[in-house]
Amino acid sequence: MNKRAGVAETFVVKMLDNGARLQGPAVAKYVDLLRRSHPDESPAQIIERLEKQFLLSVTGSGSAAGATAAFPGVGTLAAIGAVGAETAFFFEASSLLTLAIASVHGIEPHDHEQRRALVLAVSLGDVGKELVATATGASLRNWPRVLTSGAASGQLKALNNSLVKKFIRRYFAKRSPLLIGKLLPAGVGAAVGGMGNRALGKRTIENARDAFGPPPAAWPTPLRVLPAATGPGLGGDVTVPKG
């Protein structure tokens, strides 16, 4: 691997790890808060709500980052910085979505390696689940549960190395043109950013649906009793939306 690829891998892995590490301890609480705000909703309805929030967030962040280039006086470095921050946000939002849907299904990753593998495998779609199945012996149907309950530490480390390498190649093939498009001036970057992020967001949602399968008919765990009305979001506490 050349030096440039090594730097790129370090950046992407750091973004993924930040998302998985920050969201991991807080996801179950976040899902519980959504359930408290909408106590009559089924697991399928809560997942639909999570998907809509995710798609709105990443579409808005993509448009905002692309709009930076349209402002007079904003230099190229500043625009690139805004796009880089938005990329980190997308990774973190994707991690939150994946882990939140897993929680709805009653799947709770126990450590950072499990969270990283789950987030990467879902992001990769069919390629990811095939890598997990090969490494753990899981079937293509129940691989998320096997990954987070029966995979040995050595298996997870080797699996994560393979998942990262696949993800890097796919990331640059699909996202690099979008990153360049967001830097276009005169409002074009905003349109490219919003539409591009929306397309990538929809793909992430499709991958998660395929990975976890149909939502459970009933909640796998009882609702947790929490005193506060706020919960963890992307980078801090947020009020759980009522609508």
Side-chain angles (χ1 to χ4, degrees):
M1 180 178 293
N2 59 39
K3 184 175 180 181
R4 181 178 298 178
V7 171
E9 179 172 335
T10 299
F11 169 76
V12 173
V13 170
K14 182 179 179 181
M15 294 302 100
L16 286 166
D17 283 355
N18 284 345
R21 185 177 291 110
L22 289 171
Q23 308 304 345
V27 167
K29 181 180 177 184
Y30 178 49
V31 172
D32 282 350
L33 287 166
L34 280 176
R35 290 175 61 186
R36 286 167 63 85
S37 297
H38 309 279
D40 297 327
E41 292 192 349
S42 65
Q45 289 172 310
I46 291 296
I47 288 177
E48 183 179 358
R49 191 174 294 279
L50 288 165
E51 292 173 346
K52 287 181 178 178
Q53 290 176 2
F54 165 73
L55 206 56
L56 284 172
S57 295
V58 298
T59 301
S61 68
S63 296
T68 301
F71 283 97
V74 174
T76 301
L77 289 178
I80 291 173
V83 170
E86 185 275 326
T87 300
F89 177 88
F90 189 96
F91 283 151
E92 195 171 326
S94 298
S95 297
L96 176 58
L97 177 71
T98 297
L99 297 173
I101 293 176
S103 180
V104 173
H105 282 262
I107 298 173
E108 304 284 352
H110 300 297
D111 57 38
H112 177 63
E113 288 289 342
Q114 289 182 356
R115 289 192 296 271
R116 180 203 269 191
L118 185 60
V119 168
L120 280 168
V122 170
S123 296
L124 286 168
D126 288 342
V127 173
K129 70 179 180 182
E130 289 171 3
L131 285 172
V132 173
T134 300
T136 65
S139 72
L140 294 180
R141 282 189 172 185
N142 70 341
W143 67 265
R145 199 170 295 277
V146 172
L147 175 65
T148 55
S149 62
S153 177
Q155 283 180 319
L156 283 171
K157 289 182 179 179
L159 173 61
N160 274 324
N161 286 337
S162 298
L163 289 169
V164 165
K165 287 180 172 60
K166 288 284 186 182
F167 185 86
I168 293 295
R169 287 196 287 270
R170 182 161 295 190
Y171 169 82
F172 281 106
K174 291 189 174 183
R175 197 163 176 89
S176 291
L178 176 57
L179 296 179
I180 295 172
K182 289 177 183 177
L183 297 175
L184 295 174
V188 177
V192 170
M195 291 188 296
N197 268 21
R198 186 173 180 82
L200 291 176
K202 285 185 175 180
R203 172 58 63 184
T204 300
I205 289 171
E206 291 172 4
N207 287 348
R209 289 176 179 175
D210 181 64
F212 296 108
W219 288 101
T221 57
L223 187 61
R224 306 179 191 194
V225 178
L226 298 172
T230 58
L234 302 176
D237 286 353
V238 294
T239 302
V240 176
K242 301 293 183 182

